[in-house]
Amino acid sequence: MSWFESFILGLVQGLTEFLPISSSAHLRLTAAFAGWNDPGPAFTAITQIGTEAAVIIYFRKDIARIVSAWCRSLFNKQLRGDHDAKMGWLVIVGSIPIGVLGLTLQDAIDGPFRDLRLIATTLVVLGIVLAIADRLAARDETGGRHRAVKHRKGLDELTTRDGLLYGICQAMALVPGVSRSGATISGGLFLGYTREAAARYSFLLAIPAVLASGAFELKDAGQGHVSWGPTIFATVIAFVVGYAVIAWFMRFISTRSFMPFVYYRVLLGLVLFALVGFDVLSPHAGESGD
């Protein structure tokens, strides 16, 4: 991998990680469209450490408060009912599904899941799911001629059941094209949470999963056509760009609909179907031996 490729892929990772459009799919597609080798799941997982570092810094006050309360609650029973202490446990519970499935489906993640036809399908299907979830949220928030505004839950109302369901939604992002934020935010909206609450928990929930995945994939870094230098460079680029994107996105969702991302996902998926269907692009473009 050249330094130019690593710069572009780091830029793509930073731009797409927090948006509900799938960063792993965009890394895969960028390489395929450019005629480069597929950077692979190891490169993706490691560069995601850069964007998660941006999450840690952006939510540093929330994270420090949660970690502190959770640690103190281990030795002080009176603190176990504290919201921040419970949030610590909920992040742990929500991380279980992706941890179990990530290890179980490792071979599929490295192979069949990276087929461009599957990516096109998940882009379209999850785009439609996000559209439905967004519509339900908008209906509750605005009401209508014959419908009153309906209360939507905040993070202080998050339950163990909902935290686990969030985690199951996050695990779906093991398939490129689903989008970690897209799946978990959609799940949160279906569960009745506000847009901001759904996004905030989505980002907090991703931290242990992404850091663990990145650490697990470190053993494969520097192998094949991807070397350590470009990987680290891409990770730094992803961090810088990702921080700017997450700050913008949190402001965006407080007043705007997710529909622009829905239109983009569906259009990209249909274009990808057409390119593969007309043999302009191989479903395995960039893979070894292609």
Side-chain angles (χ1 to χ4, degrees):
M1 174 181 287
S2 70
W3 291 97
F4 176 72
E5 288 178 46
S6 68
F7 171 78
I8 296 299
L9 293 174
L11 184 63
V12 170
Q13 168 64 29
L15 287 171
T16 59
E17 172 67 18
F18 303 118
L19 305 181
I21 56 177
S22 180
S23 61
S24 57
H26 278 76
L27 289 176
R28 176 80 178 89
L29 293 176
T30 299
F33 288 151
W36 302 336
N37 287 321
D38 180 1
F43 177 87
T44 300
I46 294 171
T47 54
Q48 284 177 337
I49 294 177
T51 45
E52 286 313 303
V55 171
I56 292 173
I57 293 177
Y58 186 84
F59 290 111
R60 60 189 179 279
K61 294 181 180 179
D62 300 58
I63 294 171
R65 194 174 62 249
I66 290 169
V67 171
S68 174
W70 181 81
C71 289
R72 287 184 288 115
S73 72
L74 296 176
F75 307 99
N76 188 339
K77 293 182 178 180
Q78 295 181 339
L79 293 176
R80 292 177 185 175
D82 180 79
H83 168 67
D84 290 324
K86 290 192 292 185
M87 183 60 67
W89 284 113
L90 289 170
V91 169
I92 293 173
V93 168
S95 300
I96 294 174
I98 197 170
V100 173
L101 291 177
L103 292 173
T104 304
L105 301 174
Q106 183 65 42
D107 290 340
I109 294 170
D110 293 346
F113 282 2
R114 302 185 75 78
D115 188 302
L116 296 183
R117 292 165 296 190
L118 177 59
I119 291 176
T121 301
T122 54
L123 283 169
V124 173
V125 172
L126 267 294
I128 294 172
V129 170
L130 179 59
I132 296 172
D134 185 71
R135 175 58 183 164
L136 290 175
R139 187 181 65 182
D140 289 347
E141 292 165 356
T142 61
R145 181 179 299 179
H146 304 293
R147 184 185 298 272
V149 174
K150 183 178 178 180
H151 168 73
R152 289 207 141 240
K153 296 179 286 187
L155 282 186
D156 57 329
E157 300 172 83
L158 186 65
T159 64
T160 302
R161 166 187 167 275
D162 289 354
L164 186 58
L165 290 174
Y166 258 105
I168 293 172
C169 291
Q170 177 179 237
M172 295 171 62
L174 291 169
V175 182
V178 171
S179 169
R180 186 190 310 276
S181 64
T184 50
I185 289 173
S186 294
L189 294 179
F190 278 122
L191 290 170
Y193 289 88
T194 64
R195 300 171 195 272
E196 184 177 2
R200 187 174 290 267
Y201 184 60
S202 170
F203 294 152
L204 293 175
L205 185 61
I207 294 173
V210 170
L211 294 182
S213 175
F216 179 78
E217 295 287 1
L218 283 174
K219 68 182 187 310
D220 296 325
Q223 298 181 11
H225 70 284
V226 182
S227 58
W228 268 109
T231 300
I232 294 174
F233 180 54
T235 303
V236 173
I237 296 297
F239 163 74
V240 174
V241 177
Y243 187 87
V245 171
I246 192 173
W248 171 82
F249 186 62
M250 292 304 294
R251 289 193 300 270
F252 177 89
I253 61 173
S254 63
T255 58
R256 304 288 294 277
S257 163
F258 287 110
M259 290 308 295
F261 304 111
V262 170
Y263 298 141
Y264 174 78
R265 288 182 63 104
V266 173
L267 178 61
L268 179 60
L270 294 177
V271 169
L272 189 54
F273 270 128
L275 292 175
V276 173
F278 288 104
D279 293 325
V280 176
L281 195 65
S282 165
H284 307 288
E287 294 181 3
S288 298
D290 183 70

